[in-house]
Amino acid sequence: MKQPQFTIGTARCLLVFFAAVLVMNAGAARTLNSANPIRRVVTMLQMMQNKVEKEGEKEKKIFNKFMCYCDKSHDSLVQSIGAAETKLPQLDSSIKESQAELDRLKRDVEQAKADRKDAAESLAVAQSLSEKELARLNKEIEQYRSNIKALEKAIAALEKGRVSAFLQTSAVGQLRLLTVNLDMSTSDRDLISSFLSTDKSEDEYKPEPSEILGILKQMMDEMQDGLEKTIAEEKNETEEAAAMTKAKREQIAALGKQIEAKSARVGELGVDIVNLQGDYDDTAKSLEEDKKFFENLNKACELKKKQWNERTQIRREEVKAITQTIKVLNDDDTLTLFKKTLPSPNFLQLSHRKRHGHRRAPGDTAREKAMNALQEGAQRGHHNSRMQAISMALRNKRT
């Protein structure tokens, strides 16, 4: 009959089996009348198999949770890294645009302040000139009115024949001054001067009142025309000055609002740039940390997969070995073999018989298989205290 293959898992199972057999050999007299000890070992192996399988299920749940964490973290990090790599250029562009706008607004504010200052100075100069011009025009108007009033008195005196009484009034001096300043012919000026003169000899020529009256009326017309023109000029100057003042004040007010609005925007942009720069720094730092964490996560997850595959393979071999051992122990030949072996003192006498040339007992084959399994396990690096204890026992050593 073909014998089953013994693996590392088989060795582990046999450790339990031989530990139970050693205990039973220590009290062989008590076990002769008890239940079949092989069945006890089989039961122990089955319990071990159940324990290994349950441990495997628990470890699988833990592994699945860890891999779920790996997958979710991987997706989350990929999304986070992608978003940060997209966001950083946008933030950089926004910072540059905001900085350019900030610089432009600062220049606009300075220019608006300069324009407002120029407008205020221009308004002051224009108001000063306008006031002087209006003062001059008002003076001319007053002069025209004064001259007209003097002419009216002279004309009225001539028309009523009261020349002597008129020549005694202050209006005479005003008319004399007017003839000097007024643009008129020399002959007319001489006639007026002669008329206004109180020192006349009897032989001196005396102009007729009608001649003087005509000249005075002509002067009156010129005075009234000049007065009307001067009044119109004064009105025009006043309106122009008012319009200019209004325009300049509106310009100054508009520049003030512009300065205020742009200054407020300068402050807002300054805050925005600080916030954008902070967001950029935080995003860059977060991106670097995410990349490092992403790299470490991938390494950790790959290592966990590798360890899980190795652990799964070992557990599969253990379960297979336990199954094979149970199969061996349940075999009829094996049961018969161990029943014949139990009455013997114990396994410690195996080497003694072999060294003294005793004939190989039927149980020797089972012991050799156990030794081979233990050696195979040792070669694969599976050393533990129970394996060493059983190995020493099979070599007739005390533990």
Side-chain angles (χ1 to χ4, degrees), residues 235-255:
K235 181 180 179 181
N236 184 60
E237 179 66 23
T238 301
E239 291 176 351
E240 288 181 355
M244 183 273 299
T245 301
K246 181 181 179 182
K248 286 296 182 181
R249 286 176 177 173
E250 289 177 350
Q251 180 185 6
I252 291 171
L255 288 170

Side-chain angles (χ1 to χ4, degrees), residues 102-384:
L102 178 63
D103 295 338
R104 178 180 61 79
L105 285 173
K106 286 182 177 179
R107 292 192 298 268
D108 291 347
V109 169
E110 293 300 321
Q111 184 61 47
K113 288 181 178 179
D115 293 343
R116 183 175 63 176
K117 181 179 179 181
D118 292 342
E121 292 175 352
S122 176
L123 175 61
V125 171
Q127 286 178 334
S128 177
L129 293 175
S130 178
E131 289 173 358
K132 290 180 180 180
E133 182 65 16
L134 288 173
R136 182 188 68 79
L137 292 172
N138 288 328
K139 184 177 180 180
E140 286 185 5
I141 291 172
E142 291 298 324
Q143 187 65 43
Y144 273 120
R145 287 174 176 170
S146 177
N147 291 335
I148 289 172
K149 188 175 182 180
L151 286 171
E152 287 176 347
K153 289 181 179 181
I155 292 172
L158 288 172
E159 288 178 346
K160 294 179 179 181
R162 298 176 180 176
V163 177
S164 299
F166 171 74
L167 294 176
Q168 301 301 319
T169 63
S170 60
V172 174
Q174 190 172 356
L175 285 176
R176 187 178 286 113
L177 182 62
L178 180 61
T179 59
V180 175
N181 296 329
L182 194 63
D183 185 15
M184 57 189 305
S185 65
T186 303
S187 59
D188 290 344
R189 183 178 289 108
D190 290 342
L191 286 175
I192 296 297
S193 296
S194 177
F195 170 74
L196 297 176
S197 176
T198 56
D199 298 330
K200 299 185 180 72
S201 62
E202 294 181 356
D203 297 335
E204 188 177 355
Y205 173 75
K206 295 181 180 180
E208 294 293 328
S210 59
E211 291 181 89
I212 300 300
L213 187 61
I215 295 172
L216 292 178
K217 286 184 177 180
Q218 184 180 356
M219 291 173 62
M220 174 70 75
D221 292 338
E222 291 178 359
M223 287 293 107
Q224 288 179 342
D225 184 60
L227 177 61
E228 291 175 357
K229 289 182 179 179
T230 303
I231 289 174
E233 186 178 355
E234 186 269 345
K235 181 180 179 181
N236 184 60
E237 179 66 23
T238 301
E239 291 176 351
E240 288 181 355
M244 183 273 299
T245 301
K246 181 181 179 182
K248 286 296 182 181
R249 286 176 177 173
E250 289 177 350
Q251 180 185 6
I252 291 171
L255 288 170
K257 291 181 179 180
Q258 181 180 346
I259 292 169
E260 183 179 355
K262 291 187 175 182
S263 297
R265 181 57 181 160
V266 166
E268 292 174 356
L269 280 174
V271 175
D272 290 343
I273 290 173
V274 171
N275 292 334
L276 287 170
Q277 188 63 51
D279 192 6
Y280 182 90
D281 295 339
D282 293 341
T283 303
K285 182 179 179 180
S286 177
L287 176 61
E288 183 179 359
E289 292 175 352
D290 285 347
K291 285 184 175 180
K292 289 181 179 179
F293 184 71
F294 184 74
E295 182 180 356
N296 294 333
L297 178 69
N298 287 336
K299 290 180 180 180
C301 292
E302 290 299 322
L303 177 62
K304 192 68 176 180
K305 287 180 182 178
K306 181 179 178 181
Q307 294 174 345
W308 171 251
N309 291 333
E310 293 175 354
R311 178 60 181 156
T312 302
Q313 181 62 29
I314 293 174
R315 186 181 298 104
R316 189 181 296 113
E317 292 178 359
E318 288 178 345
V319 173
K320 182 179 179 181
I322 293 171
T323 303
Q324 291 177 347
T325 305
I326 293 173
K327 183 178 180 181
V328 170
L329 294 177
N330 282 332
D331 186 80
D332 293 338
D333 294 339
T334 305
L335 287 173
T336 303
L337 174 64
F338 280 102
K339 284 179 181 179
K340 294 178 178 180
T341 308
L342 282 175
S344 61
N346 53 43
F347 283 155
L348 300 178
Q349 297 178 356
L350 174 61
S351 298
H352 179 74
R353 292 198 188 102
K354 187 174 181 180
R355 286 195 302 268
H356 290 80
H358 291 285
R359 185 173 58 87
R360 176 176 293 182
D364 289 347
T365 303
R367 297 188 187 93
E368 290 177 357
K369 288 181 179 181
M371 283 296 296
N372 292 334
L374 289 171
Q375 291 175 358
E376 183 179 353
Q379 292 174 358
R380 289 177 179 263
H382 292 270
H383 298 282
N384 56 51

